[in-house]
Amino acid sequence: MAVTRADKVITAEELLERYAAGGRDFSGVEIEASDELVGANFAGINLSRSILAEMILDRVNFSDANLRDTNFGQTSLDGANLQRADLSGVNLAFGSFDNADLTDAQLIEAYLESTDMWGVNFTRSNLTEAKIGDSHSFCNCIFSDTIMPNGDIAVDDSFEIGDSSYFVDCTFNNTFLTEADIGIDDV
């Protein structure tokens, strides 16, 4: 996980105004905490290396966004559209992704420790070297053509799910689970 440092602090209102005026490159900024961004449309935005920690970003459209190495620690992205977003190296620790759409998203080396992920669509997502942590649950999630490191869901050198993670009512389509030890009660 890369350490994110902001080059500039801007308000949520300023972000909305500049995006509406056609601005798309907001890399390296820190957005002051606000609830004004709930449901906002930021399709195609570049917020790489930015800080959006401890915010409520529910139902935000981040489709096709560059969110590499962004700090979303303790942030709620419930119901967010993250289709085709690049979330590589992102920090989502202690946040929430409930009912988010991560179809075709890149989550390479993402840090997802203690992140709530209920009802998430991981169709064709890339979770290579993602760090999940112990005691994590995936409930009602969709894993279809999902790239998981080394093709398995188990504790190994590249994909840490932890001994206490479990899967409840999840769908696995065309997802390789070689050598996975998830047990009948876990799926």
Side-chain angles (χ1 to χ4, degrees), residues 82-121:
L82 292 149
Q83 294 178 17
R84 300 169 305 282
D86 187 348
L87 295 153
S88 299
V90 72
N91 173 17
L92 289 156
F94 301 98
S96 178
F97 259 151
D98 292 349
N99 299 304
D101 188 349
L102 290 160
T103 301
D104 296 309
Q106 299 297 310
L107 290 140
I108 299 166
E109 297 181 354
Y111 187 72
L112 306 168
E113 179 76 33
S114 300
T115 302
D116 290 335
M117 289 188 267
W118 291 57
V120 177
N121 185 349

Side-chain angles (χ1 to χ4, degrees), residues 11-24 26 36-37 42:
T11 65
E13 183 177 278
E14 182 180 355
L15 177 64
L16 288 166
E17 288 172 3
R18 289 175 52 192
Y19 184 87
R24 295 297 180 267
F26 299 92
E36 292 178 56
L37 301 179
F42 293 122

